[in-house]
């Protein structure tokens, strides 16, 4: 009998070759670290166009983050995806991506019966509408995964994207963290929410090298555990130069050269948080190629903590 | 590589354990009934395959999908002889709607809702001390997607044992938009029959315990040979024969199995004309007409249980392999043309003592597809 995944090998490593944002006021990931530019993404003007017609807001945001990430990875010529669609996965993290749809559709039924609903809304009742929209837009026919996993969801998406690559289910994975804002979301979260998306392109190191892509970071370790110390240890226990976290005051936190919350000021990032942190890590490693960055999400009072280590292209163990 | 299934649990509209559901299926007993809590005046469809467990008739409750999930996992752990402690055991939950119904009850009727209740990790932490929990909202392929990813975790050395589950409760927005788009109004889910008029939702949860190799002396229900997953990337609701063909070929490759070795196919069979004709066409090309594997479709009696539906087909397949019995497709009297060459089980359960390999299909919105290959443990 054959092995489950003949292509799988412990030597397979997942690397990051692209990052893109659709976050209000921002243009490039280094702005998550404090770089200031004029302009930036404006949802009022950036979420229109024929390609977005009949799409839900979360899908629109995701598509607007995916294109620059693919372009940065050298996998998008402005018209079409230039990688292998059959071996490219999509992994989306979102917690409240369709909440507005669900609640407003229930309102419509109560008011106008089901005949008041738009038939085009059917896919928007399932959270995987976002990953499906991205797959269709770019012809990505590999595994298509949607994580709705609470505070750790964004880093959990990286965990699974890496797993898909290491096991050989995919050679490339587009990882997206997205949360659309709205009155219903704000009411549930009790605080203003992020209205944006961030996308990363992960690849097997072999595939990236083969096509001459710039490797901007290596996903050196991922884990999810009950608490911070456990998650950091399971992810590899490296010593980070930079720790990206919402929980900088956690006494169980690792010693790090510096600590930063790249999502501060953006609103509750929820399922997009971990991917935002990873994009910030990539921006940091663009200028500090020998560094190690740790990203963590969640807390021991919730479901648990996710941790991801990313290392720069010049990192030496 | 194969993986052992050592524990199973399930709750659906026609049974409270995998065995009960299987017996009901073999007896041709469905769980269809009038909508229990939705205002009938607001919908065209008036029936669903709901679980009848609400404390007050006609009054809905939040948290039912989570409740069934815990019930199914409890059953599966007991069945596997595993303690009720999942501190070191990953739990992968596939779902279409998460706790969407709870969100509707919060928004429409003021029920309490914490954002932490939308996914299932919170409850699993409280019930089992589980820390490595993942909610995959992978539409109606979610349960088998979770199963595929569980095999990956074991192969990667991340775990020796994984609990894989699926759960869904019917929500108004999903039921309503489906009702809005279906051309005809189905009063029952009748897959592959010319009378099929569309899909009706069902409720339920399923869980299996998957392990690298069962402990010596522990019974093994069946061996998982491989699970393929992919995406059509074609259409948000209409299935694509090319994508389905590709996922089946991938499942055979991963399982090291040829199509001619398959003895039983658990069809996705959602009862929508487009899904039924596409699935039947693809299988007709893969299997020889009239002499291919036996086939059945449990949604004819459970309704479409959405995220858990692939796993419900899987547990049914396991019991079919064990008992040499295949439930019929309820209501199938006049198969659609595309299914003419398929050996669909009709009217009564089939007796088939030598079943060895089973294929399980699950296809979902967004064009996401999954297929699993199971082997009898003898």
């Amino acid at each position: 009998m054959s092995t489950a995944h003949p292509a799988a090998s412990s030597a397979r490593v997942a690397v990051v070759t692209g990052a893109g944002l659709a976050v209000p006021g921002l243009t490039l990931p280094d702005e998550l670290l404090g770089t200031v530019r004029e302009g930036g993404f404006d949802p009022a003007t950036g979420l229109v166009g024929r390609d977005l017609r009949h799409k839900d807001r979360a899908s629109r945001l995701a598509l607007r983050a995916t294109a620059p990430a693919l372009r940065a990875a050298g996998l998008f010529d402005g018209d079409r995806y230039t990688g292998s669609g059959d071996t490219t996965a999509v992994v989306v993290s979102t917690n409240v991506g369709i909440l507005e749809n669900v609640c407003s559709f229930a309102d419509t039924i109560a008011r106008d019966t089901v005949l008041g609903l738009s038939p085009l809304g059917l896919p928007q009742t399932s959270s995987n509408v976002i990953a499906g929209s991205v797959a269709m837009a770019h012809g990505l026919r590999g595994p298509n995964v949607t994580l709705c996993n609470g505070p750790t969801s964004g880093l959990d998406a990286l965990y699974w994207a890496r797993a898909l690559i290491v096991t050989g289910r995919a050679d490339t994975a587009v990882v997206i963290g997205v949360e659309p804002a709205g009155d219903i979301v704000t009411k549930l979260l009790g605080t203003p929410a992020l209205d944006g998306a961030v996308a990363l392109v992960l690849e097997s190191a072999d595939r990236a090298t083969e096509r001459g892509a710039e490797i901007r970071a290596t996903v050196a370790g991922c884990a999810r555990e009950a608490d911070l110390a456990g998650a950091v240890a399971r992810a590899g226990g490296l010593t980070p130069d930079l720790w990206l976290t919402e929980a900088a005051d956690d006494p169980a936190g690792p010693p790090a050269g510096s600590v930063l919350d790249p999502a501060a000021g953006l609103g509750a990032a929820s399922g997009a948080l971990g991917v935002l942190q990873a994009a910030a890590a990539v921006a940091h490693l663009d200028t500090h190629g020998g560094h190690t960055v740790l990203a963590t999400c969640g807390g021991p009072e919730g479901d648990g903590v996710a941790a991801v280590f990313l290392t720069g292209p010049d990192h030496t163990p | 590589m194969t993986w052992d299934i050592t524990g199973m649990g399930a709750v659906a509209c026609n049974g409270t354990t995998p065995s009960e559901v299987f017996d009901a299926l073999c007896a041709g007993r469905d769980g269809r009934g009038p909508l229990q809590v939705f205002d009938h005046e607001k919908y065209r469809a008036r029936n669903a395959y709901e679980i009848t467990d609400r404390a007050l008739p006609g009054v809905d409750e939040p948290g039912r999908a989570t409740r069934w999930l815990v019930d199914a996992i409890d059953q599966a752990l007991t069945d596997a002889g595993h303690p009720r402690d999942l501190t070191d055991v990953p739990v992968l939950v596939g779902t279409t709607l998460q706790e969407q119904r709870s969100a509707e009850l919060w928004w429409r009727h003021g029920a309490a809702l914490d954002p932490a209740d939308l996914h299932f990790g919170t409850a699993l932490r409280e019930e089992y001390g589980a820390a490595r929990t993942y909610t995959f909202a992978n539409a109606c392929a979610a349960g088998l997607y979770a199963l595929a990813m569980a095999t990956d975790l074991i192969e990667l050395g991340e775990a020796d044992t994984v609990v894989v589950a699926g759960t869904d409760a019917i929500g108004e927005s999903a039921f309503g938009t489906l009702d809005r788009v279906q051309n005809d109004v189905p009063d029952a889910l009748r897959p592959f029959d010319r009378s099929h008029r569309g899909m009706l939702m069902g409720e339920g949860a399923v869980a299996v315990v998957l392990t690298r190799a069962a402990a010596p002396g522990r019974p093994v229900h069946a061996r998982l040979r491989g699970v393929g997953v992919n995406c059509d990337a074609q259409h948000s609701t209409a299935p694509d024969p090319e994508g389905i063909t590709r996922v089946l070929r991938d499942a055979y490759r991963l399982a090291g199995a040829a199509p001619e070795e398959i003895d039983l196919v658990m069809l996705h069979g959602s009862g929508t004309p487009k899904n039924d004709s596409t699935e039947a066409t693809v299988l007709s090309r893969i299997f020889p007409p009239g002499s291919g594997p036996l086939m059945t479709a449990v949604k004819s009696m459970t309704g479409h249980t959405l995220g858990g539906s692939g796993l419900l087909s899987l547990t049914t397949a396991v019991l079919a392999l064990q008992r040499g019995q295949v439930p019929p497709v309820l209501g199938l009297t006049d198969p659609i043309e595309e299914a003419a060459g398929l050996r669909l089980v009709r009217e009564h359960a089939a007796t088939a003592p030598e079943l060895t390999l089973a294929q399980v299909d699950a296809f979902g919105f967004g064009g996401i597809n999954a297929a699993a290959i199971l082997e009898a443990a003898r």
Side-chain angles (χ1 to χ4, degrees):
Chain A
M1 188 187 304
S2 70
T3 56
H5 299 284
S9 150
S10 60
R12 278 178 77 97
V13 171
V15 298
V16 182
T17 55
L21 302 180
V23 174
L26 305 187
T27 304
L28 294 171
D30 61 357
E31 290 164 63
L32 296 166
L33 301 170
T35 300
V36 177
R37 289 188 185 85
E38 290 295 312
F41 180 73
D42 179 1
T45 58
L47 294 182
V48 295
R50 279 175 58 186
D51 60 321
L52 302 186
R53 194 176 291 168
H54 306 309
K55 298 268 190 299
D56 61 296
R57 189 174 186 84
S59 291
R60 291 173 183 229
L61 288 164
L63 287 165
R64 285 294 180 258
T66 299
L70 290 174
R71 193 178 291 114
L75 289 169
F76 185 56
D77 64 8
D79 183 39
R80 64 183 192 87
Y81 181 66
T82 58
S84 166
D86 281 347
T87 59
T88 301
V90 179
V91 183
V92 168
S93 167
T94 189
N95 290 325
V96 291
I98 61 163
L99 184 69
E100 299 271 341
N101 312 342
V102 167
C103 294
S104 62
F105 290 2
D107 283 343
T108 300
I109 295 168
R111 189 180 60 237
D112 302 324
T113 80
V114 295
L115 298 178
L117 293 167
S118 164
L120 299 172
L122 180 58
Q124 300 170 15
T125 61
S126 180
S127 292
N128 81 315
V129 64
I130 307 161
S133 295
V134 172
M136 275 180 274
H138 296 288
L140 310 181
R141 294 179 292 275
N144 191 273
V145 176
T146 300
L147 272 149
C148 300
N149 211 39
T152 61
S153 195
L155 291 181
D156 294 333
L158 257 75
Y159 176 92
W160 284 105
R162 181 188 190 229
L164 291 171
I165 289 170
V166 173
T167 56
R169 285 198 189 269
D171 282 328
T172 307
V174 179
V175 183
I176 299 159
V178 56
E179 298 292 7
D183 293 342
I184 298 171
V185 169
T186 302
K187 182 178 179 186
L188 179 65
L189 299 183
T191 182
L194 171 75
D195 185 38
V198 56
L200 296 177
V201 177
L202 264 61
E203 295 181 67
S204 73
D206 289 349
R207 174 55 59 93
T209 303
E210 183 181 288
R211 67 182 189 88
E214 180 191 356
I215 294 175
R216 297 169 65 183
T218 296
V219 184
C222 303
R224 162 80 184 267
E225 283 295 322
D227 58 27
L228 180 61
V232 170
R234 191 180 182 98
L238 307 180
T239 302
D241 300 285
L242 172 64
W243 178 24
L244 301 171
T245 178
E246 286 187 309
D249 56 352
D250 192 323
S258 56
V259 181
L260 186 70
D261 177 7
L266 296 177
S270 194
L273 176 62
V275 193
L276 269 170
Q277 291 174 332
V282 170
H284 177 82
L285 296 171
D286 282 343
T287 52
H288 299 81
H291 276 192
T292 296
V293 181
L294 168 66
T296 63
C297 284
E301 72 286 353
D303 298 357
V305 178
V308 171
F309 281 105
L310 294 123
T311 55
D314 305 325
H315 174 78
T316 49
Chain B
M1 181 181 282
T2 63
W3 301 268
D4 290 349
I5 295 171
T6 57
M8 303 196 299
V11 53
C13 61
N14 62 350
T16 60
T17 65
S19 188
E20 265 189 35
V21 173
F22 187 81
D23 289 344
L25 293 172
C26 287
R29 208 163 50 238
D30 71 12
R32 182 172 61 110
L35 289 169
Q36 291 176 25
V37 294
F38 297 171
D39 179 352
H40 287 206
E41 299 306 312
K42 305 293 187 188
Y43 299 86
R44 300 189 305 155
R46 301 290 168 83
N47 290 324
Y49 299 76
E50 293 177 78
I51 291 176
T52 53
D53 66 342
R54 295 176 176 93
L56 296 173
V59 179
D60 209 359
E61 303 162 4
R64 293 166 76 236
T66 301
R67 187 163 82 209
W68 303 328
L69 173 67
V70 170
D71 182 356
I73 291 176
D74 275 352
Q75 290 181 35
L77 293 175
T78 301
D79 187 29
H82 194 288
R84 216 173 170 277
D85 176 359
L86 299 177
T87 308
D88 295 319
V89 176
V91 186
L92 278 52
V93 183
T95 180
T96 297
L97 305 177
Q98 306 147 253
E99 271 293 356
Q100 200 177 95
R101 179 58 183 153
S102 296
E104 291 172 350
L105 291 170
W106 162 76
W107 178 246
R108 293 284 315 155
H109 304 291
L113 179 70
D114 188 305
D117 295 334
L118 288 175
H119 60 287
F120 299 107
T122 309
L124 299 175
R125 181 83 186 264
E126 289 168 3
E127 290 286 336
Y128 306 106
R132 297 161 68 192
T133 56
Y134 302 96
T135 294
F136 296 109
N138 277 13
C140 302
L144 292 192
Y145 250 82
L147 189 70
M149 296 169 93
T151 65
D152 291 351
L153 278 193
I154 295 172
E155 190 193 355
L156 289 170
E158 293 271 306
D160 284 326
T161 297
V162 182
V163 173
V164 186
T167 189
D168 265 305
I170 298 173
E172 280 194 275
S173 57
F175 188 88
T177 47
L178 179 75
D179 188 15
R180 172 70 182 82
V181 302
Q182 298 200 117
N183 292 331
D184 297 318
V185 181
D187 64 353
L189 199 161
R190 293 285 175 257
F192 305 103
D193 192 80
R194 286 181 194 273
S195 68
H196 60 178
R197 286 193 288 182
M199 189 262 267
L200 281 176
M201 290 182 185
E203 296 185 317
V206 189
V208 300
V209 177
L210 190 72
T211 191
R212 186 187 302 275
R218 288 296 322 170
V220 175
H221 283 301
R223 297 202 166 84
L224 183 63
R225 292 267 295 260
V227 191
V229 293
N230 76 355
C231 179
D232 296 339
Q234 286 291 327
H235 192 276
S236 56
T237 54
D240 174 42
E242 195 278 328
I244 290 173
T245 302
R246 205 160 41 83
V247 85
L248 294 178
R249 297 288 181 200
D250 200 37
Y252 301 144
R253 178 184 65 81
L254 292 168
E260 50 268 29
E261 294 178 79
I262 303 292
D263 302 308
L264 170 67
V265 176
M266 303 299 300
L267 297 152
H268 181 70
S270 67
T272 66
K274 183 73 176 165
N275 177 274
D276 288 353
S277 64
T278 304
E279 187 175 21
T281 298
V282 169
L283 296 186
S284 293
R285 290 174 186 155
I286 289 176
F287 299 113
S291 59
L294 292 174
M295 300 188 186
T296 192
V298 301
K299 294 182 183 70
S300 61
M301 286 177 264
T302 64
H304 192 337
T305 55
L306 307 178
S309 62
L311 288 175
L312 192 59
S313 288
L314 182 108
T315 56
T316 304
V318 168
L319 292 170
L321 297 178
Q322 287 180 348
R323 300 185 188 180
Q325 204 178 9
V326 180
V329 185
L330 187 67
L332 178 57
T333 57
D334 187 11
I336 57 172
E337 185 180 344
E338 295 87 344
L342 304 180
R343 291 177 66 207
L344 289 153
V345 179
R346 292 157 59 172
E347 296 183 23
H348 305 290
T351 300
E354 297 302 321
L355 301 174
T356 299
L357 275 191
Q359 166 186 325
V360 184
D361 295 351
F363 313 127
F365 280 173
I368 56 178
N369 308 310
I373 308 294
L374 275 181
E375 181 180 350
R378 296 196 178 104

